[in-house]
Amino acid sequence: MANHSIAHNVYVPYLEKKGILSWLLSTDHKRIGIMYLVSISFFFLVAGVIALLMRLELLTPAADFVQPHTYNVLFTLHGSLMVFFFVVPGLAASFGNFLIPLMIGAPDVAFPKLNLGSYWIYLLGTLIVLLALMKPADTGWTYYTPYSATTDTDVVLITLGVFVLGFSSILTGLNFIVTIHKMRAPGMTWHRLPLFIWASYATAVLQLLATPVVGITLLLLIAERTLGVGFFDPAKGGDPILFQNFFWFYSHPAVYIMIIPAMGVISEIIPVFARKPIFGYKAIAYSSLGIAFISFLVWAHHMFTSGISSLAATIFSFLTFLVAIPTAIKVFNWTATLYKGSIHLHSSMLYALGFIFLFTIGGLTGLFLGALAADIHLHDTYFVVAHMHYVMIGGTVMGFFGALHFWYPKWFGKMFNEMVAKIAWFLVFVGFNVTFFPQFFLGVQGMPRRYATYPAEFESLMSLSTYGSWILGLGVLIMTVNLIAGLFNGEKAPQNPYNSLSLEWQVPSPPPHENFDEIPHVTDWTYGYGKKKEPEA
Ligand code: HEM
Ligand SMILES: [Cu+2]
């Protein structure tokens, strides 16, 4: 570490070195963060284009653009890529890597080589999945048995790819947990940690504990297909429902792996642009852990119609409602932070406000689905598709876009065009709602999900949804072009454009290798905007 000599402190930004190997072999957490950022953004755009193709098919009731089998392949790829390659590694791997050491005052993560290894494993997983595209699976991203055990499409390769990815997730979680425990700068007590760090910690626990379950489940499915073992086959004493239990034991916690980091982002953006201390710091911090814990106990709410006992259904319904409490605590505290703030509508703040509004719709409609009687009617309809996208786009993607705009100057040392960013936000916000809000009605009226065709009575809402997807696509396109253009033509970013108090803004933009010339001594929390000092410990 730094030896305090002046000569040591010559500023060399971490982006200085050029050449592909300087990236692929770098153990600098900021470079690894960028590699994840590029990879997940790539998958987001590919899976987004696939989504636009699906919506194009759904413009009219008949299967005139693609055949039903192709449509099945498209929604399988869309769901698999979005979930496993974009949104699960997502904010945690990209912004988590970039921000955790900077925010806690550390030179890097605890195990930098392991960190690079995790990225390589991610790459290996993506290569396997590319091979799987030769005869792509048509099972849906949930790979439910018995169909996934019998379809003649290539389920093995795609699930193997996801299995490999899981290790990347587990090792990253492990690395972050140790980093947050062991690498905090002097004075950076737990109750001074930025809330993004609390969120990353809760996420890391989930990654570490839940991911092995999906890994084993997919391995069992592979054994089922290649060896005919029969874990999920009643004829051989197995049970297809077992697959659903295993799958959701991971995949429900996984939805919190997707959303908790975004909640952390919102907790950072709001106080800076409301110029107020975050309201209810400890409630937000501990509710992340609360959500993580309860999220392990609700998985069977995906199986109310699968034939579980009514006792089990009642218990899981009750537990599902419990998860709403820590979530609502956060929404309440963000809103209270905004109250009487002097609000500045930076593009990242617009995304944060979008998050609060849209995620609340996503969360509340989740309660409809958690209610036993309502779920019998709504299960596997477009209501679920709408709910899922209000959470995943309205929540996670809004948080992701917000983070991109917020930390862009720090990460790249450049500024993007703020006016264009606002226009793109507007298109994304409007396009998203036009695409997905009608789907709540479609679902209530009984339109099932995962079909390439539909009865004529649904045409007006269906085509409205498709028009919305074009607006949304245009917004994302403009946003992407704007952010990329900023890298080349953007003005040089100042060190701290928003006068943030958080540690990452106290180093140059872009930061040097190893971040700090000297490890900082922390004397206050990060949310002391206005006059207020930290709350009593
Ligand atoms: C770019 C905007 C998007 C559009 C227009 C879109 C559209 C769609 C459509 C049409 C379906 C298939 C519905 C069906 O036939 O059942 C679908 C399914 C799905 N989408 Fe998206 N989507 C978008 C973004 C996302 C994002 C960002 C995520 C995840 C973060 C996501 C996750 C999923 C999942 C998990 C499914 C379920 C796949 C399945 O099991 O059928 N989507 N989406
Ligand atoms: Cu769930």
Side-chain angles (χ1 to χ4, degrees):
M1 239 339 293
N3 231 335
H4 309 297
S5 69
I6 302 292
H8 190 91
N9 294 351
V10 183
Y11 164 57
V12 184
Y14 78 100
L15 287 168
E16 193 82 346
K17 268 205 215 132
K18 303 273 186 270
I20 183 91
L21 281 186
S22 79
W23 287 91
L24 283 177
L25 299 177
S26 170
T27 55
D28 186 319
H29 66 99
K30 301 180 287 300
R31 285 188 165 231
I32 294 175
I34 288 201
M35 291 195 282
Y36 275 114
L37 181 68
V38 171
S39 316
I40 63 168
S41 303
F42 171 77
F43 283 107
F44 172 72
L45 294 176
V46 171
V49 170
I50 296 176
L52 291 176
L53 296 179
M54 284 191 289
R55 282 297 348 152
L56 190 58
E57 166 51 43
L58 297 171
L59 186 60
T60 57
D64 30 27
F65 173 60
V66 294
Q67 288 307 301
H69 173 73
T70 311
Y71 186 83
N72 296 351
V73 167
L74 288 179
F75 74 64
T76 303
L77 283 179
H78 168 71
S80 300
L81 296 184
M82 280 292 188
V83 170
F84 295 110
F85 292 82
F86 165 61
V87 84
V88 165
L91 276 162
S94 58
F95 283 91
N97 254 308
F98 182 71
L99 290 172
I100 291 174
L102 280 166
M103 281 184 160
I104 66 176
D108 208 312
V109 294
F111 307 115
K113 286 186 188 144
L114 183 69
N115 202 19
L116 179 62
S118 310
Y119 179 70
W120 285 354
I121 295 174
Y122 174 88
L123 268 190
L124 179 66
T126 62
L127 292 180
I128 297 177
V129 166
L130 289 184
L131 287 180
L133 295 185
M134 292 196 288
K135 205 179 180 198
D138 61 350
T139 57
W141 71 282
T142 47
Y143 315 116
Y144 269 15
T145 53
Y147 184 65
S148 60
T150 52
T151 167
D152 65 3
T153 56
D154 199 341
V155 174
V156 172
L157 270 182
I158 195 162
T159 47
L160 186 68
V162 174
F163 173 77
V164 170
L165 273 194
F167 283 93
S168 164
S169 208
I170 294 170
L171 295 175
T172 301
L174 181 76
N175 216 336
F176 287 176
I177 291 177
V178 179
T179 305
I180 295 170
H181 271 278
K182 290 292 177 198
M183 307 278 289
R184 283 173 288 125
M188 182 57 94
T189 57
W190 283 91
H191 287 157
R192 283 178 179 158
L193 283 176
L195 289 164
F196 181 77
I197 300 295
W198 278 96
S200 301
Y201 186 81
T203 308
V205 172
L206 288 175
Q207 286 178 307
L208 192 66
L209 297 182
T211 316
V213 180
V214 77
I216 297 298
T217 311
L218 296 177
L219 217 50
L220 292 181
L221 177 60
I222 291 173
E224 187 92 349
R225 281 187 69 94
T226 51
L227 309 172
V229 183
F231 298 112
F232 307 121
D233 180 358
K236 295 177 179 162
D239 186 350
I241 300 290
L242 180 65
F243 182 88
Q244 298 187 16
N245 275 301
F246 279 169
F247 182 83
W248 289 109
F249 189 85
Y250 163 76
S251 292
H252 188 84
V255 308
Y256 291 97
I257 294 178
M258 305 170 199
I259 195 73
I260 294 178
M263 294 168 154
V265 168
I266 305 310
S267 302
E268 298 304 329
I269 295 177
I270 298 238
V272 170
F273 292 118
R275 303 318 288 176
K276 274 184 64 196
I278 188 93
F279 187 88
Y281 171 88
K282 283 184 194 165
I284 298 183
Y286 289 105
S287 62
S288 290
L289 296 182
I291 293 176
F293 176 70
I294 303 176
S295 76
F296 276 105
L297 306 176
V298 300
W299 77 91
H301 62 207
H302 297 273
M303 301 167 53
F304 288 150
T305 60
S306 302
I308 57 175
S309 74
S310 52
L311 175 64
T314 312
I315 293 172
F316 280 106
S317 176
F318 175 74
L319 291 170
T320 299
F321 277 76
L322 276 191
V323 122
I325 298 173
T327 310
I329 288 177
K330 285 186 194 282
V331 173
F332 174 81
N333 286 308
W334 292 324
T335 317
T337 307
L338 290 170
Y339 178 66
K340 288 192 175 168
S342 55
I343 298 199
H344 173 64
L345 291 180
H346 184 258
S347 48
S348 60
M349 182 67 158
L350 290 175
Y351 282 110
L353 296 176
F355 176 105
I356 298 182
F357 181 69
L358 301 174
F359 177 74
T360 302
I361 298 179
L364 285 176
T365 50
L367 292 180
F368 293 32
L369 296 167
L372 287 179
D375 186 63
I376 305 295
H377 179 69
L378 297 173
H379 180 72
D380 262 351
T381 69
Y382 263 74
F383 192 91
V384 174
V385 179
H387 155 71
M388 177 163 83
H389 287 88
Y390 266 83
V391 179
M392 289 201 267
I393 303 184
T396 308
V397 174
M398 288 284 148
F400 179 60
F401 289 175
L404 270 177
H405 290 82
F406 187 69
W407 281 291
Y408 183 97
K410 179 56 59 190
W411 208 338
F412 302 109
K414 293 286 179 72
M415 303 298 274
F416 52 82
N417 184 317
E418 174 64 17
M419 192 60 212
V420 177
K422 286 197 169 100
I423 295 171
W425 171 83
F426 181 76
L427 292 173
V428 167
F429 186 83
V430 171
F432 168 75
N433 283 294
V434 176
T435 309
F436 291 101
F437 205 74
Q439 298 184 0
F440 285 120
F441 299 105
L442 282 164
V444 172
Q445 289 167 18
M447 173 67 209
R449 67 194 263 227
R450 297 187 176 178
Y451 280 90
T453 58
Y454 54 86
E457 63 190 278
F458 295 130
E459 183 164 8
S460 49
L461 286 174
M462 275 295 202
S463 42
L464 180 61
S465 176
T466 299
Y467 299 139
S469 72
W470 297 344
I471 306 176
L472 175 56
L474 182 67
V476 173
L477 182 69
I478 294 177
M479 184 201 81
T480 311
V481 171
N482 187 35
L483 292 181
I484 292 178
L487 296 180
F488 297 101
N489 322 323
E491 277 171 40
K492 206 178 157 339
Q495 174 166 317
N496 191 356
Y498 328 118
N499 288 320
S500 166
L501 296 176
S502 187
L503 273 183
E504 77 273 22
W505 295 103
Q506 319 311 323
V507 297
S509 310
H513 185 59
E514 301 211 326
N515 305 337
F516 302 93
D517 283 342
E518 264 174 63
I519 291 299
H521 279 255
V522 180
T523 54
D524 197 0
W525 72 331
T526 42
Y527 300 106
Y529 300 104
K531 287 248 153 46
K532 194 166 166 194
K533 285 280 160 194
E534 64 185 352
E536 293 299 303

